[in-house]
């Protein structure tokens, strides 16, 4: 028989026929026996279970009578035995759903290393539940609670397994239901956070953490566990750009064991290894395999140099591979300096692939990186050495016979799965000089040739140009022979594909190559090893591309026209809810967009202006400024001193891209100001406003005109509100600033622009914090962090982490604050942003000082001063670092030294772009002043800031000390006097 007690008692025979066990007492008796199926249950326990604390007289006889009636109902299928100690139901535990549930749940938990098996076992276990457990045994609360706890654990274990299998979106409703029933389960909170992250909803995941923190504090008076806090920090740190991936390899790596072993032996002690050998030898594949599989080496970053035609652009190729970008508020800096700043403290294996056509420039950059960045190692591939000190060469020779045959067989089975070898395979590999590319091309021919036919045809290889090196002659001959075996349609498409610099999607092939329905021909070229395909993009090996390009038609115009259309289609989506997929789309086409732009600059300057205009916001979100300066200047020269009709915005954006940042370039700035002043709009490319403000500085006189230009675009109006908000904030008008940011936030929520949302949420979080609304501040900042995480924006992420760390520090959570500051420091270093590094260092200095570690604080403040860049972006950080040093000196009892630091800070703050730094300096000076003067300075600071400062522990302590020494009337009088004097009150000290 089968018994169910996970829900209303259910009894069925083996063929599924239901059995009625009787009324409430027999049902309770049977449930008690089933809880210990196969084991004796004492008479005393059965009596307690049936009658509770007040059994009737003659309870033993009553129990015996109940047993007899139950036996008759279960006969002949199941027997109940009387034993000296009590009664036992004769059935295996697995016939009872509760026991089967426990066994399956334990098996699922034990199978955690195999999530698929674990999920299946646990799902089977949970499917046994039909309702509330033990409803026929109301007094068995302890046992019911135990089973319910096991059920909850099984749910959590099953969800854990499904998360490991890539689940997430489908789990969210179930997890919310479970949390409603179990609001104190930290494990459920953590799983819901992970499920939301997997569903692309990181902002909601961060909100769940705050819900968990509040619930635990309210109900238990406890903080989240270290595990849940670590998951929260992991979500925050998720904003760090994804580590650059190595190219996906579509076939198995075969052979090269000696070379891999040599690389593994040399890398620990060598900073530069160069794999040398002829084209087709497999240098790139070997480098990727080494970087992917060898242990004990730094994280790899793959830099493909084959599409790079100008040696000066190698540095940009490295920056792009590292995922670095300008961001919104970054100052223009020398691109090489920024790369060195990004890598000076990192451990990284830089894989520079295909250096031979740029060998001198590649050597110069490699030498510079190795001398300035001690944690960087370089693995280069080139047909010749780089020729710099310390280089270790690893020649990549032809494959020996045995691995060559293995490679041939592996590739042959890809086109003929039944191929099991042939006596002439070794001869074929020998004729091909063991060159991997030649072997792959030949093996692909087994789809149409027999091994004997293939071997016979390879005899023609000896007719190649004998003036060439033997291996070069062999490869050239094999490529030529393989080319001749293509049909004319395949050859024509292959020639046309050489126009693409970075691979091509099917859509691009159809649009540019002019051949209808190319899918079948593309598939044939892939099968014959002329193309590789990965994630929907077709790419030609450089050796084959160079051969096919010799007779390729000129498709530059068609290529440029397609990518101009793509950029124009993408542009509006970069400012809305679909910006993430479109950013990814343009990033995948980056090399071809650059190629199209260079073509248009030479042949169609008007088209080039249109393309540059459409790409300018993409570059700001995903590029590095200097990469386009020379192209923009060439385009400006081609266009002339004024914009073509109807392209005023594009002309301004071209001028912005032409500004080097090395000087003010007043003539160009004046020319652009004139163009904008005469332009009546409405704006089609509204980011022109913010990019011009960043490039040339704020233009207050043009505010009204800017409002007119932006009138037709909600995105542009929101952008102006962001600019006005920052201006009001710096000028000490917090209420006005908050109103601006709030309006902008509403607009950006309507458009779905993550960049805009994040740039509003950061200051709005700090305004909430200034009012003491800490929980709201954290929610706003967490949402902002989720958005910049999706955008992979290290600058904004570092800013938000530092802001959130400051909120935590002021709340007294020093450990949490330090974690945020350290993560911001890591991001800023990796992105080469000195002013952000300084900000994070200053935050760490504040945390150390407030914890009493003045020695450590001084190290952080001094480090912040050293890395501050010499531009207006760094004035605020320099002022605050000086203040930090002064507060450190004061904490150590060195008042005069503190005053000197504070005076330096005040002097520099007076030269800054706003009043906030001067307010900071006034509050610092107040901390070492006499009580009445301290109150006056605090009043001046409040006037400069536009509000008091009731959250900074340093300022709170200064105010408390001053009030303790003065009467309320005297304090208020001095405070009001300082408020009236504002900046003059600060400079007097």
């Amino acid at each position: 028989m089968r018994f169910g007690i996970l829900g209303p008692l259910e009894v069925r025979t083996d063929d599924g026929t239901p059995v009625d066990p009787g009324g409430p007492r027999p049902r309770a008796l049977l449930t008690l026996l089933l809880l210990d199926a196969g084991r004796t249950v004492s008479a005393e326990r059965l009596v307690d279970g049936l009658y509770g604390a007040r059994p009737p007289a003659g309870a033993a006889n009553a129990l015996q009578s109940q047993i007899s009636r139950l036996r008759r109902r279960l006969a002949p299928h199941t027997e109940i035995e009387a034993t000296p100690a009590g009664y036992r139901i004769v059935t295996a535990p697995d016939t009872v759903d509760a026991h089967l549930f426990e066994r399956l749940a334990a098996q699922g938990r034990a199978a955690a290393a195999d999530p698929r098996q674990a999920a299946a076992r646990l799902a089977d276990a949970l499917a046994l539940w039909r309702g509330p457990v033990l409803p026929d045994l109301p007094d068995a609360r302890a046992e019911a609670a135990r089973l319910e706890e096991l059920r909850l654990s099984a749910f959590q274990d099953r969800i854990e397994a499904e998360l490991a299998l890539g689940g997430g979106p489908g789990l969210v409703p179930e997890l919310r239901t479970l949390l409603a029933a179990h609001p104190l389960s930290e494990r459920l909170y953590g799983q819901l956070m992970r499920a939301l992250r997997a569903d692309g909803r990181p902002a909601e995941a961060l909100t769940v953490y705050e819900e968990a923190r509040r619930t635990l504090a309210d109900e238990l008076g406890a903080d989240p566990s270290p595990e849940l806090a670590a998951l929260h920090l992991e979500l925050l740190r998720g904003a760090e750009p994804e580590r650059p991936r190595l190219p996906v390899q579509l076939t198995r790596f075969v052979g090269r064991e000696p070379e891999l072993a040599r690389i593994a032996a040399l890398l620990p002690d060598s900073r530069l290894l160069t794999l040398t050998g002829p084209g087709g030898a497999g240098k790139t594949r070997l480098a990727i395999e080494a970087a992917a599989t060898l242990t004990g080496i730094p994280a790899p970053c793959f830099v493909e140099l084959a599409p790079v035609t100008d040696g000066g652009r190698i540095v940009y190729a490295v920056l792009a591979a590292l995922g670095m970008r300008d961001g919104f508020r970054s100052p223009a800096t020398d691109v090489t300096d920024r790369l060195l700043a990004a890598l000076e403290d990192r451990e990284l294996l830089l894989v520079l692939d295909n250096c031979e056509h740029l060998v001198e420039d590649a050597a110069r950059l490699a030498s510079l990186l190795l001398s300035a960045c001690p944690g960087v190692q370089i693995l280069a591939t080139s047909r010749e050495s780089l020729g710099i000190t310390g280089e270790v060469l690893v020649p990549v020779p032809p494959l020996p016979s045995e691995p060559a045959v293995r490679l041939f067989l592996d590739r042959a089975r890809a086109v003929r799965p039944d191929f099991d070898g042939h006596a002439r395979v070794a001869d074929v590999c020998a004729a091909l000089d063991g060159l991997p590319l030649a072997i792959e091309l030949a093996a692909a021919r087994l789809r149409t040739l027999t091994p004997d036919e293939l071997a016979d045809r390879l005899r023609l290889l000896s007719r190649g140009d004998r003036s060439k090196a033997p291996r070069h002659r062999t490869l050239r001959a094999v490529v030529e022979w393989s080319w001749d075996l293509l049909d004319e349609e395949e050859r024509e498409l292959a020639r046309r594909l050489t126009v693409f610099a970075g691979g091509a999607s099917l859509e691009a092939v159809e649009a540019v190559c002019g051949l209808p329905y190319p899918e079948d021909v593309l598939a044939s070229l892939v099968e014959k090893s002329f193309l590789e395909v990965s994630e929907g993009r077709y790419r030609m090996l450089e050796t084959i591309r160079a051969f096919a390009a010799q007779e390729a038609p000129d498709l530059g115009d068609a290529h440029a026209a397609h990518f101009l259309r793509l950029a124009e289609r993408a542009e509006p989506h970069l400012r809305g809810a679909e910006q993430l997929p479109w950013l990814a789309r343009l990033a995948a086409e980056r090399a071809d967009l650059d190629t199209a732009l260079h073509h248009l600059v030479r042949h169609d300057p008007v088209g080039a202006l249109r393309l540059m205009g459409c790409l300018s916001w993409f570059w700001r979100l995903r590029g590095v400024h200097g990469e386009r300066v020379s192209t923009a200047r060439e385009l400006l020269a081609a266009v002339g001193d004024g914009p073509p009709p109807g392209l005023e915005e594009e002309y301004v954006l071209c001028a912005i891209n032409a500004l080097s940042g090395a000087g003010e370039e007043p003539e160009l700035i004046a020319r652009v100001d004139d163009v904008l002043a005469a332009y009546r709009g409405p704006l089609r490319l509204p980011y022109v406003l913010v990019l011009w403000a960043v490039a040339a500085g704020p233009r207050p006189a043009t505010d009204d005109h800017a409002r007119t230009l932006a009138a037709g675009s909600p995105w542009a109006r929101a952008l102006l509100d962001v600019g006005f908000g920052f201006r009001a904030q710096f000028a000490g008008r917090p209420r006005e600033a908050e109103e601006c940011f709030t309006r902008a936030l509403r607009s950006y929520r309507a458009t779905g622009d993550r960049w805009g949302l994040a740039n509003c949420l950061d200051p709005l979080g700090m305004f909430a914090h200034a009012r003491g609304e800490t929980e709201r501040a954290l929610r706003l900042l967490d949402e902002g962090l989720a958005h910049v995480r999706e955008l992979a924006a290290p600058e904004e992420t570092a800013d938000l982490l530092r802001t959130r760390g400051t909120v935590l520090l002021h709340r007294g959570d020093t450990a949490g604050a330090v974690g945020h500051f350290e993560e911001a420091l890591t991001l800023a270093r990796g992105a080469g942003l000195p002013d952000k590094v300084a900000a994070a260092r200053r935050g760490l200095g504040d945390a150390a000082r407030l914890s009493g570690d003045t020695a450590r604080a001084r190290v952080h403040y001094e480090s912040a001063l050293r890395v501050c860049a010499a531009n207006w972006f760094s004035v605020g950080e320099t002022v605050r670092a000086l203040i930090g040093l002064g507060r450190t000196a004061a904490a150590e009892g060195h008042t005069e030294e503190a005053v000197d630091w504070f005076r330096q800070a005040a002097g520099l703050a007076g030269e800054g772009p706003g009043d906030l730094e001067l307010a900071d300096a006034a509050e610092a000076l107040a901390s070492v002043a006499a009580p009445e003067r301290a109150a006056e300075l605090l009043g001046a600071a409040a006037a400069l800031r536009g509000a008091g400062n009731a959250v900074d522990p340093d300022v709170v302590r200064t105010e408390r000390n001053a009030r303790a020494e003065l009467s309320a009337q005297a304090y208020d009088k001095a405070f009001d006097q300082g408020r009236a004097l504002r900046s003059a009150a600060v400079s007097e000290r």
Side-chain angles (χ1 to χ4, degrees):
M1 296 184 77
R2 314 296 298 180
F3 303 94
I5 59 176
L6 300 178
L9 180 66
E10 183 178 80
V11 182
R12 293 183 180 274
T13 63
D14 289 340
D15 63 4
T17 303
V19 174
D20 181 9
R25 283 234 162 80
R27 299 174 73 86
L29 176 60
L30 178 56
T31 300
L32 286 166
L33 291 168
L34 292 172
L35 284 171
D36 282 293
R39 299 193 298 269
T40 296
V41 183
S42 70
E44 291 81 1
R45 182 178 171 192
L46 293 173
V47 168
D48 287 344
L50 288 174
Y51 303 110
R54 297 182 178 179
N61 292 332
L63 173 61
Q64 190 174 18
S65 176
Q66 292 284 357
I67 290 285
S68 297
R69 284 195 290 273
L70 186 57
R71 279 179 176 147
R72 287 195 296 271
R73 288 187 174 269
L74 299 181
H77 306 288
T78 298
E79 183 182 353
I80 299 176
E81 288 183 345
T83 71
Y87 297 93
R88 178 174 74 94
I89 187 167
V90 184
T91 189
D94 273 4
T95 63
V96 184
D97 58 2
H99 299 299
L100 181 57
F101 161 75
E102 290 196 52
R103 182 172 67 81
L104 291 173
Q107 289 177 347
R109 193 174 307 112
D114 183 352
R116 197 171 301 280
Q117 181 184 351
R121 288 280 190 276
L122 291 159
D124 289 345
L126 291 165
L128 296 170
W129 285 71
R130 294 169 291 104
V133 64
L134 304 180
D136 298 287
L137 203 60
D139 289 334
R141 295 186 182 88
E143 182 62 20
R146 186 186 73 84
L147 288 169
E148 286 287 1
E149 188 66 28
L150 288 175
R151 185 189 190 193
L152 176 60
S153 294
F155 270 120
Q156 294 170 326
D157 291 339
R158 196 211 80 230
I159 289 168
E160 195 71 32
E162 292 187 8
L163 285 170
L165 291 170
L171 297 173
V172 171
E174 179 183 12
L175 280 162
R176 290 201 184 277
T177 300
L178 287 169
L179 264 173
H182 306 279
L184 300 180
S185 171
E186 288 195 72
R187 189 179 183 195
L188 287 176
Y189 281 117
Q191 289 178 330
L192 178 56
M193 290 164 66
R194 291 161 58 201
L196 286 166
R197 177 176 60 182
D199 195 22
R201 296 149 69 182
E204 289 183 60
L206 291 166
T207 301
V208 168
Y209 176 80
E210 289 303 320
E211 177 188 338
R213 194 187 59 75
R214 287 195 304 273
T215 301
L216 294 170
D218 292 345
E219 298 295 328
L220 303 177
D223 292 326
S225 66
E227 292 77 15
L228 194 63
L231 175 58
H232 179 235
L233 187 57
E234 181 184 326
L235 276 167
L236 296 176
R237 290 178 174 179
E240 183 177 2
E242 198 175 291
R243 187 182 299 282
R245 294 189 302 169
L246 292 167
V248 176
Q249 300 307 297
L250 307 178
T251 53
R252 289 195 312 122
F253 184 78
V254 178
R256 296 298 184 200
E257 289 84 0
E259 289 78 14
L260 274 175
R262 178 165 168 74
I263 295 171
L266 291 171
L267 264 180
D269 301 313
S270 304
R271 299 282 310 285
L272 170 61
L273 259 65
T274 303
L275 311 185
T276 59
K283 301 183 295 297
T284 298
R285 187 65 190 274
L286 175 59
I288 292 171
E289 186 71 12
T293 62
L294 296 182
T295 60
I297 62 173
C301 176
F302 186 85
V303 184
E304 185 175 15
L305 297 181
V308 180
T309 56
D310 177 1
R313 298 177 70 85
I314 295 177
V315 64
Y316 295 106
V318 177
L319 290 169
L322 290 167
M324 291 174 61
R325 53 182 282 276
D326 274 345
F328 177 40
R329 285 166 280 175
S330 295
T333 56
D334 178 82
V335 66
T336 304
D337 289 344
R338 185 171 177 194
L339 178 61
L340 294 177
L343 296 182
E344 63 180 350
D345 293 318
R346 290 180 66 176
E347 290 189 358
L348 188 77
L349 177 65
L350 206 57
V351 182
L352 298 179
D353 187 45
N354 286 312
C355 297
E356 54 273 350
H357 62 302
L358 305 166
V359 66
E360 291 184 4
D361 295 288
R364 274 194 292 271
L365 182 61
S367 179
L368 182 62
L369 288 173
L370 294 173
S371 61
C373 308
V376 171
Q377 293 177 264
I378 295 177
L379 179 61
T381 74
S382 179
R383 295 183 187 181
E384 60 177 295
S385 69
L386 301 188
I388 60 179
T389 303
E391 180 182 26
V392 177
L393 300 181
V394 179
V396 183
L399 284 171
S401 176
E402 188 273 333
V405 169
R406 277 195 284 129
L407 177 63
F408 185 95
L409 294 175
D410 184 82
R411 304 304 191 255
R413 287 168 184 147
V415 296
R416 280 184 53 183
D418 60 340
F419 186 72
D420 58 358
H422 189 276
R424 300 189 69 182
V425 168
D427 295 337
V428 167
C429 294
L432 297 172
D433 286 335
L435 285 172
L437 177 57
I439 291 170
E440 293 189 11
L441 287 170
R445 284 294 157 193
L446 286 182
R447 179 179 288 278
T448 55
L449 299 176
T450 69
D452 285 322
E453 290 172 330
L454 178 63
D456 291 340
R457 294 196 181 200
L458 288 176
R459 294 175 185 172
L460 300 175
L461 291 175
S462 60
R463 299 180 183 177
D465 184 353
R466 295 186 181 278
S467 67
K468 304 289 186 183
R471 277 177 288 177
H472 182 86
R473 187 173 67 231
T474 298
L475 182 61
R476 168 84 185 188
V478 171
V479 172
E480 213 170 281
W481 169 69
S482 299
W483 178 263
D484 290 340
L485 292 177
L486 300 177
D487 62 37
E488 183 52 38
E489 190 177 27
E490 291 168 337
R491 284 196 292 268
E492 184 59 27
L493 181 56
R495 292 188 194 100
R496 291 169 179 252
L497 288 171
T498 61
V499 73
F500 294 102
S505 65
L506 177 60
E507 176 190 349
V509 174
E510 290 177 317
V512 175
C513 294
L515 299 177
Y517 311 109
E519 296 92 331
D520 291 342
V521 184
L522 287 168
S524 179
L525 289 172
V526 170
E527 289 175 352
K528 295 171 182 177
S529 294
F530 273 81
L531 290 179
E532 295 178 335
V533 59
S534 175
E535 299 177 347
R537 295 183 65 80
Y538 297 89
R539 185 180 185 88
M540 190 174 281
L541 291 174
E542 283 303 307
T543 301
I544 295 173
R545 185 171 182 263
F547 180 89
Q550 296 174 102
E551 299 178 8
D554 184 359
L555 295 179
D557 289 345
H559 178 273
H562 167 72
F563 284 100
L564 174 57
R565 289 193 300 271
L566 173 65
E568 289 179 331
R569 192 161 93 246
E571 188 278 322
H573 296 290
L574 299 179
R575 297 178 276 116
E578 296 180 299
Q579 65 188 166
L580 293 181
W582 279 99
L583 281 170
R585 175 82 179 273
L586 293 183
E589 306 288 4
R590 192 175 203 142
D592 282 284
L593 288 166
D594 285 347
T595 298
L597 179 60
H598 289 300
H599 177 87
L600 290 172
V601 168
R602 294 190 298 270
H603 301 286
D604 179 9
V606 169
L609 273 181
R610 289 167 55 198
L611 181 56
M612 182 170 283
C614 289
L615 291 177
S616 290
W617 191 241
F618 165 70
W619 287 333
R620 177 58 61 174
L621 295 175
R622 281 289 184 272
V624 179
H625 173 76
E627 187 173 9
R628 50 196 177 270
V629 169
S630 61
T631 304
R633 289 183 173 178
E634 183 182 352
L635 179 55
L636 278 181
V639 170
D641 292 339
L647 294 179
E648 290 85 356
E649 294 174 51
E650 288 82 355
Y651 183 85
V652 171
L653 289 165
C654 183
I656 291 169
N657 289 313
L659 291 172
S660 67
E664 293 185 0
E665 302 178 72
E667 292 183 8
L668 179 57
I669 290 175
R671 192 193 319 165
V672 173
D673 278 338
D674 290 342
V675 171
L676 281 175
Y679 187 50
R680 292 295 173 262
L683 289 173
R684 293 170 289 102
L685 306 173
Y687 39 84
V688 67
L689 294 173
V690 66
L691 296 186
W692 184 238
V694 170
R699 298 295 212 251
T702 65
D703 285 355
D704 290 339
H705 186 49
R707 288 188 179 96
T708 301
L709 293 177
S713 167
W715 190 93
R717 290 197 301 272
L719 184 63
L720 280 182
D721 272 328
V722 170
F724 295 150
F726 279 119
R727 190 187 302 169
Q729 181 184 6
F730 294 150
R733 303 194 299 274
R735 180 176 299 178
E736 178 187 338
E738 188 166 13
E739 290 173 355
C740 289
F741 287 121
T742 300
R743 282 197 305 271
L745 183 69
R746 284 197 296 269
S747 296
Y748 284 131
R749 287 204 190 283
T751 64
D753 186 328
R754 293 162 180 81
W755 173 87
L757 287 167
N759 275 281
C760 296
L761 290 162
D762 187 352
L764 286 172
M766 286 309 289
F767 288 134
H769 174 55
R771 289 192 299 272
E773 299 172 7
T774 303
E775 300 306 321
R776 181 169 182 268
L778 291 173
R779 286 197 300 275
L780 292 170
L781 295 171
D782 284 349
E783 184 188 349
L785 278 164
H787 294 314
V788 292
R789 169 188 179 274
E790 291 177 315
L791 286 170
E795 176 189 4
E796 286 86 349
T797 304
D799 281 341
L800 278 157
L801 282 169
R802 191 198 67 244
T803 302
R804 197 177 194 281
T806 300
V807 174
L808 294 178
L809 184 63
H810 290 174
R811 193 174 73 175
D813 182 2
T814 305
V818 167
H820 284 51
F821 295 142
E822 287 179 342
E823 182 63 18
L825 178 61
T826 299
L827 282 171
R829 276 176 171 169
L833 301 169
D835 53 319
K836 309 302 178 188
V837 171
R841 282 286 192 189
R842 192 250 310 163
L844 288 168
D846 290 343
R849 177 176 55 78
L850 291 171
S851 300
D853 190 345
T854 55
R856 183 182 295 273
R858 184 177 292 101
V859 169
H860 286 306
Y861 292 135
E862 290 174 348
S863 177
L865 283 178
R866 281 196 301 271
V867 298
C868 275
N871 53 71
W872 73 266
F873 286 82
S874 68
V875 170
E877 284 311 322
T878 304
V879 167
R880 293 181 181 96
L882 292 169
I883 289 172
L885 286 168
R887 291 195 183 278
T888 302
E892 294 174 336
H894 307 307
T895 305
E896 289 304 316
E897 180 187 345
V899 170
D900 183 57
W901 287 117
F902 294 154
R903 283 176 173 166
Q904 289 185 55
L908 182 60
E911 303 171 8
D915 291 339
L916 297 184
E917 292 79 13
L918 203 56
D920 290 335
E923 290 164 345
L925 285 164
S927 69
V928 292
E932 188 172 337
R933 177 62 174 160
E936 184 180 340
L937 286 165
L938 289 175
L944 290 163
R945 199 182 296 282
N949 188 344
V951 294
D952 186 325
D954 290 312
V955 179
V956 170
R957 183 171 56 254
T958 300
E959 180 182 348
R960 185 175 63 244
N961 293 341
R963 286 186 179 277
E965 296 291 329
L966 299 172
S967 67
Q969 184 178 5
Y971 180 90
D972 290 342
K973 179 181 178 181
F975 185 90
D976 290 341
Q977 183 177 349
R979 183 189 289 274
L981 293 175
R982 288 171 59 96
S983 59
V986 182
S987 59
E988 285 175 11
R989 185 67 173 92

